Amino acid sequence: MEQAKAEVTALSVEPEVGKIYKGHVVSIKEFGAFVEIIPGHEGLLHISQIDVKRINRVEDVLHEGDEVEVKLIEVDPDGKMRLSRKAVLSPGSENEGGGRPPRRDDRPRGGERPNHRERAHS
């Protein structure tokens, strides 16, 4: 009876950003692993968020069925969840490396660039 109550409660729980979950690897892809953190809720653990050091292949660290502690770092507007094991191993490290650097607002974009032909003939 307690098991049934726990399962019903788990189904009604919404994942919380910033919280650490003990999940299970449900599938492995070249770019990361999908981890179910609570029944019916799985997110992407990107290869860059699996360990504090660079890994070559997801399978070098994780396998389907493995239990893994991850931190929910983002839920996008579509409900897709981004997870980080790196944040559990070394708190704060989920923001280091592996991502694109922030855009500088002073860079010209798209149609704002000067035409190189006009500069050459001026």
Side-chain angles (χ1 to χ4, degrees):
M1 184 69 167
E2 290 301 315
Q3 176 70 21
K5 284 182 184 177
E7 288 177 16
V8 169
T9 301
L11 290 173
S12 63
V13 172
E14 284 298 314
E16 295 176 47
V17 172
K19 189 171 177 184
I20 294 175
Y21 294 90
K22 193 172 285 191
H24 290 89
V25 177
V26 292
S27 67
I28 301 282
K29 304 292 180 198
E30 199 172 297
F31 52 84
F34 286 94
V35 178
E36 185 177 54
I37 57 172
I38 53 179
H41 295 276
E42 61 182 61
L44 174 62
L45 176 57
H46 190 268
I47 191 168
S48 67
Q49 294 296 322
I50 292 175
D51 206 332
V52 291
K53 63 184 186 310
R54 186 182 190 290
I55 63 170
N56 292 319
R57 296 179 21 192
V58 177
E59 297 88 347
D60 291 343
V61 179
L62 298 172
H63 301 90
E64 282 188 31
D66 283 357
E67 186 175 84
V68 60
E69 275 194 310
V70 293
K71 181 177 181 179
L72 177 57
I73 55 175
E74 181 185 15
V75 178
D76 75 9
D78 295 329
K80 294 178 183 174
M81 296 186 293
R82 285 185 49 225
L83 307 172
S84 176
R85 179 173 173 261
K86 186 193 272 192
V88 176
L89 299 173
S90 178
S93 65
E94 66 272 23
N95 299 319
E96 297 173 3
R100 197 178 348 182
R103 171 174 235 136
R104 292 187 351 232
D105 287 333
D106 61 341
R107 287 192 328 205
R109 294 194 186 114
E112 299 172 19
R113 293 186 190 127
N115 185 329
H116 72 301
R117 290 187 186 121
E118 289 176 12
R119 284 186 297 172
H121 297 296
S122 299

